[in-house]
Amino acid sequence: CSDTQIDLVVILDASTSVTEPNFKLMLEFLKDFLSIADIDRGNVRVGVVIYSTKDHIQFHLNQYRSKQDIYNAIDNIPYRFGSTNTADALKTMHREMFTQRNGDRPGVDNICILITDGISNINSRRTIPEAEAARSKNIHIYVIGIGLTDLREVDGIASKPVEENRFAVQEFDELSAMKNKVFSSLCYCKYFDCFDVFVITCPFFHVLLLL
């Protein structure tokens, strides 16, 4: 388990509705989420793209090889407010970021995590088709929706089954509590009944979790 490799691209919504203070909470959540990822030994690679009216790649999978360098890069991600163009961010993720030229490794699981607070208002008809195109390339998509009353779009983006791959919170400050829930979906149960006390071995992280 500790030697399992993962290529991870994180998509962050930076639209106006997010606001800069909440965008900073998203960045803190991302650093916390990566805190026990096995980055320094090279098993986990991370790339980040943000989006509002347009999408902006912050760094590719092969740009940073140490956790501290990734943390520093996350701290320097700017808030670029605007509209909500989720479709282009998804297209950039599967067409540009998950490529061998930019660090995607053959035979390594591809994972995308999208964090958003809104429904697309630019290229909205392309949003779910772009997610479907990504999933057809065996990219597994998790979505965290924040404060959404209409979950149809994020349900269409997330890998199936939706209940295991789409998460919802009402406020940005609830993101920290999502860490373990997302961990549980990224991991698989082993040794014990998953509905009782159990051990999870997690291919995404260099740890053994006892819950």
Side-chain angles (χ1 to χ4, degrees):
C1 177
S2 62
D3 292 326
T4 300
Q5 296 179 316
I6 294 290
D7 290 336
L8 170 70
V9 170
V10 181
I11 303 176
L12 300 176
D13 183 350
S15 59
T16 300
S17 59
V18 171
T19 75
E20 188 167 8
N22 286 331
F23 187 71
K24 290 180 179 179
L25 289 178
M26 293 169 68
L27 298 181
E28 289 303 314
F29 167 77
L30 178 56
K31 289 168 62 178
D32 186 39
F33 185 79
L34 296 174
S35 62
I36 54 174
D38 189 16
I39 294 169
D40 291 334
R41 294 199 311 155
N43 285 327
V44 177
R45 290 186 178 183
V46 182
V48 174
V49 58
I50 67 171
Y51 72 96
S52 52
T53 305
K54 297 181 179 180
D55 60 278
H56 305 274
I57 296 172
Q58 300 305 298
F59 52 90
H60 282 293
L61 292 164
N62 56 2
Q63 190 162 343
Y64 299 112
R65 298 298 176 88
S66 77
K67 187 177 297 184
Q68 188 58 56
D69 284 345
I70 289 175
Y71 281 179
N72 292 341
I74 292 171
D75 286 338
N76 289 320
I77 292 176
Y79 174 55
R80 297 176 181 243
F81 61 89
S83 299
T84 306
N85 189 355
T86 311
D88 276 359
L90 289 166
K91 181 175 72 172
T92 294
M93 174 269 291
H94 73 82
R95 289 191 181 183
E96 295 185 39
M97 301 190 76
F98 280 118
T99 60
Q100 290 190 38
R101 175 170 58 90
N102 290 318
D104 185 30
R105 295 168 288 180
V108 173
D109 288 341
N110 290 339
I111 304 281
C112 171
I113 299 176
L114 166 66
I115 307 177
T116 181
D117 82 326
I119 299 170
S120 302
N121 52 32
I122 297 179
N123 297 320
S124 58
R125 292 184 179 180
R126 285 184 33 238
T127 300
I128 292 177
E130 290 293 352
E132 291 170 342
R135 298 199 306 266
S136 73
K137 298 176 181 179
N138 294 319
I139 299 170
H140 194 102
I141 304 176
Y142 295 93
V143 183
I144 301 176
I146 306 166
L148 297 177
T149 56
D150 185 346
L151 297 172
R152 287 175 294 179
E153 184 175 86
V154 292
D155 285 355
I157 294 170
S159 290
K160 308 309 182 248
V162 168
E163 58 270 17
E164 295 178 7
N165 297 288
R166 187 263 295 148
F167 308 91
V169 296
Q170 290 305 309
E171 303 291 341
F172 282 86
D173 57 11
E174 296 175 46
L175 277 173
S176 59
M178 295 302 299
K179 177 180 175 181
N180 290 334
K181 290 184 179 180
V182 179
F183 284 169
S184 295
S185 289
L186 283 166
C187 302
Y188 59 89
C189 298
K190 194 173 183 180
Y191 303 130
F192 296 100
D193 187 341
C194 293
F195 296 98
D196 200 347
V197 178
F198 57 94
V199 171
I200 296 176
T201 58
C202 183
F204 184 67
F205 297 96
H206 181 40
V207 292
L208 185 68
L209 301 178
L210 177 63
L211 301 183

